[in-house]
Amino acid sequence: ITDNGTGDYQVTIANDMVNDDYSVSGTMCHSTTGNSSASRQGPAVNEHAVGSYQVYAGSNTITLDDVSVINLQTMGDLA
């Protein structure tokens, strides 16, 4: 996972997927103890490519925001 800036991450897939029709789901937390009560959205995942995808994390506005924990699951066929 590469940190491209505030709330902007790129995940590189070591073994490419067959195509960009794979699924990504995830959760995020702004506190490592899990006690953050702030309203948040995301993670938003887009820009699928066979070898990577972008992840954006933010608050309940359009502002990107760094998070303490991101959990992602990628499901699809490897090339």
Side-chain angles (χ1 to χ4, degrees), residues 27-78:
T27 62
M28 66 180 199
C29 183
H30 288 271
S31 169
T32 56
T33 60
N35 61 2
S36 175
S37 61
S39 298
R40 303 294 180 186
Q41 66 187 25
V45 178
N46 62 14
E47 301 175 34
H48 286 93
V50 295
S52 66
Y53 55 88
Q54 293 295 122
V55 179
Y56 300 99
S59 64
N60 59 350
T61 65
I62 59 171
T63 305
L64 292 177
D65 193 14
D66 283 336
V67 294
S68 297
V69 177
I70 295 180
N71 299 297
L72 299 167
Q73 180 178 5
T74 307
M75 297 163 281
D77 294 325
L78 293 174

